[in-house]
Structure formats: C-alpha cells, structure tokens
C-alpha cells in the first residue's frame, strides 16, 4: 500500500489513474471518529494510492477531491474540471438514448 | 475394497428397503454444507446484503452511520464510476449499438450495514453539497492545525539543511 505524503501529488495521480481506467478505479474513504483518523484510497486494482491523515485541514482538501470525483464519475472521465469550483461543460458526454434511470 | 459412493448408496438404499416403518430420510447431503450454514445464520448474512436507496434516504442513513460510530467503529464511503450493469448486459448493449449510461455509484458501510445509491449527472451537484455538509458536521475529531504546522515547517527546513551538509563532503 503506497501512502503518499503530498496531498497535491495524491490528487494529481488519482485523477490520472481514474482517467486511465475509469471502469475499474474506485475512491474509498474510511473515517474513524474514535481515533480521529481519515484514510483515502484510490485504486484500479493494479495500482493503489493512499493518503492518511488526522488533520482537519485535510478534511477540507478532501472535500474538494470529493467534488472532483463526483463530477468525474457522474459525468464521465472526459469531463473538464477546473479546480471543481467551476464545473465546466462536459466534453461530449454520450447522449442517453432510451430509458435513463432517473432518481 | 474401496467403498465407492455408488456402493455406499446401494447399501443405504438396501437398508431403507428393509425397514418396515415409514421412512424419514435423515441422510444429510454432504454437498454444500457451508451454503446451508450461511443461510441459517441470518444475522451474518445481513452483512452481505447491499441495500440500494434513493439519494435522500441514503444521506439520512449515512448520517445515522456517523452518529453510531462516534465511540467506536468506522465509516467507509466508496465512489465508483459505474453503469450498474453486469458485464453480460454491457456487452449485449454495446453490440446492439446502444449507449451505456454511467452514473456515480456511492457505497457506504459501518461494518455492519451496507447501503448504496446511484448519483446521476443531474443530481450530482445537489448530492455533493449535502454530502459535504454531512462530512463537515461529522468529521469533528480531526486535529486542528496549530503550532504543529510551524513546527513541521521548521523541522522540514532543518532536515534539508542537515541533508545538504551530509551531501557535501567533510573538510579535509
């Protein structure tokens, strides 16, 4: 298990990993309130990137990463993300034909 | 002579035929014992049950998971880009020329219960906001940044200095 020390490195590599294998990549988060620990993992079952922290400031950074992943995963790996604050137009997201599942 | 299964079965059958009383078959089938055990243990089988919820009930359940794990336990949340279809279905759809619709599959567990939901393109911003609110409200046991940051920076600087000294050879 590779624990990265740099947050920015973690973000960059995990987005890259997702773009490389969107079908297999998953982003997992584990939070333990009793210990005050937060662990993030991004893996495509071949490569694994992890980040461990007990700092509140990292939770704020994680929020941004969450936004990035929600955008990427809900819209598609081709989506253009500009630091998440402005969700840019999705790049040719395949139009849904027929029945789309509406929540 | 090695007792093969066939001979054993024949022997059993022979026994059954000889008995006058109505037969109650109590021969336990040795095949798949683990499966039977698992079925009987309903409590443990509940852990393998993944409950698919709508967005808002999912968020409510997630909140309650956080509430229940303050003293002990963990909450895991996993995000995945998924079409929610099996490989067979996906292959069928691609060969038929149909477009596959992808959503964001969100799963959560507290070690006991499993819940999941699908977030589509239209809902993801709203979900994202609610999710962020929950996390912000619940992840309160993380340490706040204080002097530690300055100390870390100072240590990092010291380490850099030390490593520079080591890399340069000692004076003759």
């Amino acid at each position: 298990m590779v624990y990265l020390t740099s947050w920015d490195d973690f973000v960059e590599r995990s987005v890259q990993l997702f773009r490389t294998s969107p079908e297999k990549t998953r982003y997992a988060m584990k939070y333990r309130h009793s210990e005050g620990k937060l662990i993030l993992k991004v893996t495509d079952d071949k490569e694994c990137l992890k980040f461990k922290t007990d700092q509140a400031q990292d939770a704020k950074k994680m929020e941004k990463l969450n936004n990035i992943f929600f955008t990427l995963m809900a819209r598609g790996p081709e989506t253009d993300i500009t630091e998440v604050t402005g969700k840019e137009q999705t790049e040719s997201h395949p139009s849904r034909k027929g029945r789309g599942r509406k929540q | 002579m090695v007792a093969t299964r066939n001979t054993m079965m024949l022997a059993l059958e022979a026994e059954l035929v000889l008995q006058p009383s109505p037969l109650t078959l109590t021969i336990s089938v040795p095949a798949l014992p683990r499966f039977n055990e698992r079925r009987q243990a309903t409590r443990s089988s509940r852990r393998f049950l993944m409950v698919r919820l709508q967005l808002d009930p999912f968020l409510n359940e997630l909140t309650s998971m956080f509430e229940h794990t303050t003293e002990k336990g963990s909450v895991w949340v996993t995000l995945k880009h998924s079409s929610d279809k099996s490989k067979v279905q996906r292959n069928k759809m691609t060969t038929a020329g149909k477009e596959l619709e992808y959503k964001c599959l969100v799963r959560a567990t507290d070690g006991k219960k499993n819940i999941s939901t699908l977030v589509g393109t239209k809902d993801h911003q709203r979900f994202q906001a609610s999710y962020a609110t929950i996390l912000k409200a619940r992840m309160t046991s993380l340490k706040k940044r204080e002097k530690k940051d300055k100390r870390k920076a100072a240590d990092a600087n010291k380490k850099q200095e030390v490593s520079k000294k080591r890399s340069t050879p000692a004076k003759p």
Side-chain angles (χ1 to χ4, degrees), chain A residues 36-87:
Chain A
K37 288 224 166 98
L38 177 67
I39 300 178
L40 304 175
K41 172 163 85 167
V42 181
T43 177
D44 68 345
D45 297 326
K46 284 185 191 168
E47 198 185 322
C48 181
L49 307 161
K50 284 185 113 176
F51 190 86
K52 184 165 56 169
T53 184
D54 56 356
Q55 301 293 319
Q57 54 165 326
D58 289 326
K60 290 184 193 170
K61 292 182 191 170
M62 182 196 71
E63 216 181 299
K64 288 195 183 155
L65 184 62
N66 285 343
N67 290 348
I68 292 175
F69 272 116
F70 271 120
T71 314
L72 281 174
M73 290 178 172
R75 297 201 175 183
E78 312 297 318
T79 318
D80 190 15
I81 44 162
T82 50
E83 292 309 312
V84 166
T85 46
K87 275 124 200 145

Side-chain angles (χ1 to χ4, degrees), chain B:
Chain B
M1 197 175 84
V2 177
T4 59
R5 203 168 176 180
N6 286 333
T7 53
M8 275 168 70
M9 288 302 283
L10 285 172
L12 285 167
E13 276 182 54
E15 275 182 40
L16 291 169
V17 166
L18 288 172
Q19 282 174 13
S21 54
L23 301 165
T24 49
L25 291 170
T26 52
I27 304 166
S28 61
V29 181
L32 311 172
R34 279 188 207 156
F35 179 75
N36 285 332
E37 280 172 34
R38 205 183 270 180
R39 277 197 116 172
Q40 284 159 19
T42 49
R43 238 186 255 171
S44 56
S45 62
R46 225 173 274 158
R47 284 186 204 189
F48 302 112
L49 189 67
M50 176 63 78
V51 180
R52 176 65 57 85
L53 299 170
Q54 296 295 311
L55 294 184
D56 293 314
F58 176 85
L59 290 167
N60 293 334
E61 275 297 318
L62 181 64
T63 311
S64 76
M65 276 187 185
F66 273 104
E67 283 168 11
H68 291 137
T69 57
T70 44
E71 296 298 303
K72 70 172 185 177
S74 331
V75 179
W76 285 265
V77 181
T78 308
L79 265 57
K80 189 174 177 175
H81 177 65
S82 165
S83 63
D84 199 36
K85 297 210 178 334
S86 68
K87 197 160 191 182
V88 176
Q89 284 178 306
R90 272 184 275 144
N91 288 336
K92 278 187 188 171
M93 287 177 83
T94 44
T95 49
K98 292 182 196 165
E99 296 284 348
L100 272 175
E101 188 191 338
Y102 282 93
K103 294 198 182 193
C104 181
L105 174 67
V106 188
R107 283 180 286 216
T109 180
D110 60 357
K112 294 182 185 170
K113 269 193 309 185
N114 285 307
I115 53 172
S116 70
T117 189
L118 281 172
V119 184
T121 318
K122 292 180 186 174
D123 319 304
H124 93 271
Q125 283 178 351
R126 185 173 71 89
F127 184 84
Q128 196 170 294
S130 313
Y131 179 66
T133 313
I134 295 174
L135 293 194
K136 235 187 276 191
R138 292 285 155 188
M139 288 189 171
T140 49
S141 72
L142 296 171
K143 294 178 199 166
K144 311 277 173 180
R145 177 194 3 177
E146 279 186 24
K147 293 176 188 177
K148 278 186 189 175
D149 219 45
K150 291 178 187 173
R151 275 190 205 163
K152 275 186 188 172
D155 284 340
N157 285 335
K158 280 182 188 174
K159 279 182 186 172
Q160 278 179 9
E161 285 176 332
V162 169
S163 61
K164 276 180 189 172
K165 281 180 187 173
R166 280 184 191 163
S167 59
T168 55
K171 294 177 187 175

Side-chain angles (χ1 to χ4, degrees), chain A residues 14-27:
Chain A
S14 43
V15 172
Q16 208 173 34
L17 187 63
F18 175 71
R19 289 216 157 108
T20 321
S21 33
E23 295 272 329
K24 293 218 124 188
T25 309
R26 64 182 188 275
Y27 164 54

